[in-house]
Amino acid sequence: MKSMFKIEEPGLHTTIQDSGRMEFQQEGIVPAGPMDPYAFRMANTLVGNAWDEASIEMTMVGPSLVFLENTVLAVAGANLSPTVDGEKIPMWASVYVEKGQELRFGKPKHGARAYLAIAGGIQSERIFPSSATSTFPKEKVVGLMGEALETGSELPGRALSEKELSKRKGKILSKNVRPFYQAHHLVRVVPNEQEALFTKEALSTFYTHSFKVTPQSDRMGYRIQGRKLEFDTSVDMFSNEIGFGAIQVPRDEDPIVHMADRQITGGYPIIGTVISHDLWKVAQLLPGQTLSFQRTSVEEGNRWLKYENDLFDKLNMAIHQK
């Protein structure tokens, strides 16, 4: 392994993320992983990596970094105005960079989170057997140092030959499969069996009204503000497993859409769960922006998941044809 780049300025909240550590939830370990799995996976795909290689997640204000080796990079997700040595580079594309060049980010144009992948991936410390690179700062778990990256951090990776890099550069994602980030998103939800605890009025409200993202939103969960959702409080609730996208409704509080750094269990009713294909819509919203919910089925969620997996399979084949 070699040091691939050095952080000059860390940005607002810059962390290493891989696909997460789902297999350790029973031990009380937070899964972590990317907030926007689609953009994360696409950044890796564009540079020819396995989809779950570690990359950099940036929130609103990107870092500045200097490359210590030649490599190929891709930036996917929110458009944070990336430049290399002051020249704009395209989003959703693989770009060759040379040792000594500087990647910077400027004014955010749309979206909240972007992902930087480099060919060969980032080889960070692993304290669990697999999928363990993801940072969870609130518990000081992994990442390069167990917390958001700091000025002076050098990130190790696998340096590739110039021949291999030449195969991976110059790929660009068609606009028709790029997400479009808006100030409002309609998000599809699979109902939970606990929706039976909610009143008819609450269910009608949930599926017909918009909710606003509050400032009390982060990688653990998005608190959303809207009309109150009443439910039967006389029923004794047991702790439930909390999945990515689960929408939990605490008593007399705003609902919470649980995200990448979610708690493992919770004792409030879950009204439904965002389908995996729509998680990016939530992850890319900023405080003050809004979302609304549409009831759907497990079958529909699976159809969209299959569509997404088929898309990535086709892209991988096209990128590795040479």
Side-chain angles (χ1 to χ4, degrees), residues 194-207 211 226-235 237 247-255 268-271:
Q194 292 172 355
E195 76 163 11
L197 297 174
F198 291 85
T199 65
K200 290 182 179 178
E201 292 78 10
L203 292 175
S204 176
T205 294
F206 181 69
Y207 288 114
F211 292 80
R227 296 192 181 185
K228 189 174 180 180
L229 303 176
E230 299 278 357
F231 61 89
D232 186 351
T233 59
S234 66
V235 177
M237 291 289 300
I247 305 166
Q248 197 175 40
V249 185
R251 187 181 304 179
D252 298 322
E253 293 184 29
D254 296 325
Y268 293 110
I270 295 171
I271 197 168

Side-chain angles (χ1 to χ4, degrees), residues 182-189 205-214 217 222-226 245 247 255-257 259 274 278-279 281-283 285-286 288-294:
Q182 306 174 95
H184 175 86
H185 277 296
L186 176 65
V187 175
R188 289 163 292 187
V189 170
T205 294
F206 181 69
Y207 288 114
T208 58
H209 289 75
S210 294
F211 292 80
K212 182 170 68 175
V213 176
T214 72
S217 299
Y222 273 42
R223 282 196 176 269
I224 54 174
Q225 193 172 61
I247 305 166
I256 302 168
V257 184
M259 301 300 286
V274 177
D278 283 0
L279 289 170
K281 297 179 181 180
V282 184
L285 287 171
L286 297 167
Q289 295 182 337
T290 57
L291 71 166
S292 54
F293 300 104
Q294 181 181 72

Side-chain angles (χ1 to χ4, degrees), residues 13 35 63-64 142 146 178 204 218 220 232 236 247 252 256 293 300 313:
H13 188 70
M35 286 282 280
S64 299
V142 205
R178 296 185 198 182
S204 176
D218 56 19
M220 288 190 70
D232 186 351
D236 291 331
I247 305 166
D252 298 322
I256 302 168
F293 300 104
E300 181 70 6
D313 287 344

